[in-house]
Amino acid sequence: MTTAIDRRKVALFLALAFGISWTGAVGLFVSGIELQSMLGTVLVVVVFMWAPAIAAIAVQRYSGKSVRTGCGLARGRLRWIALSWLAPVGFLAVTIGVGLALPTVSFTTEYAVFLADLGLSPDEIDESIAVLEALPVPPIVLFVGQGLLAGLTINALAALGEELGWRGLLLAELAPLGFWRLSAVTGVVWGIWHAPIILQGHNFPEAPIAGIVVMTLWTVAASPVFTYLTVRARSVLAATFFHGTFNAVASLSLLYLTGAGTLLIAPVGVAGIGAAVLATAVCVAHDRSVAADRITTGTPLSPWGSGD
């Protein structure tokens, strides 16, 4: 385990990751492609979300190092990877709970309003509502089931593009900083990296400038959870499945909460920040009361070879 950070390597990785992503975002803006469209979604995944992975692979190859060992691309500890895949369901529940504690926010099952916000026509909304009403289980069961499936498949593939960089190469290279400083630095970088697509309406279409700030607060608050799961699992796959399922499931807070804008009730809004803080507290409680060894300290981490 090294105790010094290769600043040149980190700088090269960040320059490539930001350069590719932000150039792609500018290209999307100039082309006039809507991020919410099918084409826009595909391009965001390929050009923007996969830039950190491309940068990590390029830097590892340039350094003559293995991508698999250097970025934690291993099977790791399966029970922690499974937990990471399922954890966003609890994250959703806590986000809704925190959201309900906010002024003017209330719980709703007005699916028609949500479907209308997605751009469906009245006929499509009626058809969708009929399908939901015919289900033998509450709709939330279907939504969560679909989210878990997506978190293991297509969403995981998209999330790997980010995580191979953030919780792969960057986590390994910043490991000498220790758990908290590493998580804080990664959280800030991760949040600012989102800026170009947030300015184009991603996540916070009604308040893009404030959205960058709120998004960065969320990434800083959530980063310790990602770090903890990754180190305990000894694999970047933990962060990948957590991220993939989170993207599919946590957004349901926008379906079940009403009375406020996305800055408050989005999974990466104020409600999500509260949930992330509580999730971090759970990680710390496990680390200090259950785990055989502690990692939430200021000592250097050994991300691919420690954790209970």
Side-chain angles (χ1 to χ4, degrees), residues 11 81 91 162 217 236 265 277:
I81 291 175
F91 209 107
E162 289 191 46
L217 290 174
V236 73
I265 63 176
V277 170

Side-chain angles (χ1 to χ4, degrees), residues 121 135 152 179 195 201 229 245 253 270 294:
S121 68
L135 290 173
L152 276 179
F179 182 87
L229 292 172
T245 304
S253 67
V270 172
R294 290 180 57 181

